[in-house]
Amino acid sequence: MAILVILAIVGLVALTLAIARLYSHLAVQERRVVGAWDQLERLLVQRNGHLQQVCTEGGDRGPAALRDLHRSLQRQETARRQGDLTTVAEAEREIRSLWDLISSQGLDLKAEKEGEAGRRVAALDQAIRDTLVRYNSALDAYQRTRRAPFYAPLAWLAGMGRYLPLQPPSSDKTSR
């Protein structure tokens, strides 16, 4: 009888450790998704701040696309704060196409400011693309794990979040 009690206790401890290991693995995957999203948000805020400064410096004398860019930046910021990934992606496509249009037309700013803004935005755009790839990759791994037979009930019980993929802009002519 004592052996059965000891075996039951050992079995419960082993089961508890197995569940803790599964949960830990799932939580690490979720943290990777959240971390990539946080990085993406930081980069979007930085890049959009530079673009907003260009819009402000261009003022009313700049091309009409500057005003459209300003509206798209505001739309994306609102969507980002609300967690509306579909609108974030749509606004991102608008922002990139408008920036390409504005860059090709040239701005009525000092040449060094225009060149500096272009370099900063280009560098941040590349970082955004790279982070977008990391986000979607982490999300894919998380979703596969979350759907696995032993993980699915655990994810449901733990209230693990469901996240959506964020697709890169299709109108991006600088992608490789």
Side-chain angles (χ1 to χ4, degrees):
M1 185 68 165
I3 293 177
L4 287 177
V5 171
I6 291 173
L7 286 176
I9 291 172
V10 169
L12 284 174
V13 168
L15 181 63
T16 302
L17 290 174
I19 289 172
R21 173 119 169 71
L22 292 172
Y23 176 78
S24 176
H25 181 69
L26 191 59
V28 165
Q29 299 243 336
E30 184 181 39
R31 280 193 296 272
R32 286 184 184 144
V33 173
V34 171
W37 174 252
D38 288 344
Q39 179 65 23
L40 184 62
E41 279 190 309
R42 278 191 293 278
L43 291 168
L44 285 172
V45 167
Q46 284 180 340
R47 194 273 320 265
N48 291 354
H50 288 296
L51 290 176
Q52 193 67 31
Q53 187 176 9
V54 169
C55 290
T56 302
E57 289 175 4
D60 294 332
R61 60 195 163 135
L66 271 179
R67 289 184 292 282
D68 294 338
L69 178 62
H70 178 74
R71 280 191 290 276
S72 293
L73 289 167
Q74 289 177 328
R75 181 173 169 234
Q76 187 183 55
E77 179 64 18
T78 301
R80 186 186 60 76
R81 288 182 180 177
Q82 295 173 347
D84 181 0
L85 295 185
T86 304
T87 305
V88 168
E90 289 171 2
E92 182 65 18
R93 284 188 279 279
E94 290 171 10
I95 289 167
R96 288 191 182 199
S97 66
L98 287 167
W99 179 248
D100 288 344
L101 175 68
I102 291 167
S103 295
S104 67
Q105 290 178 353
L107 299 171
D108 191 19
L109 303 174
K110 293 180 183 175
E112 64 274 4
K113 281 194 174 188
E114 186 174 337
E116 180 182 340
R119 284 189 300 278
R120 285 183 179 175
V121 169
L124 287 166
D125 275 343
Q126 182 61 46
I128 288 169
R129 279 191 292 276
D130 294 344
T131 304
L132 202 57
V133 169
R134 274 195 307 278
Y135 170 80
N136 284 324
S137 175
L139 179 62
D140 185 50
Y142 171 69
Q143 287 178 334
R144 277 195 319 269
T145 302
R146 199 170 179 272
R147 288 189 299 262
F150 293 112
Y151 289 99
L154 186 59
W156 178 77
L157 286 171
M160 295 284 195
R162 292 183 183 211
Y163 302 97
L164 299 173
L166 187 59
Q167 299 304 319
S170 58
S171 65
D172 185 11
K173 64 182 181 185
T174 61
S175 66
R176 296 175 199 177

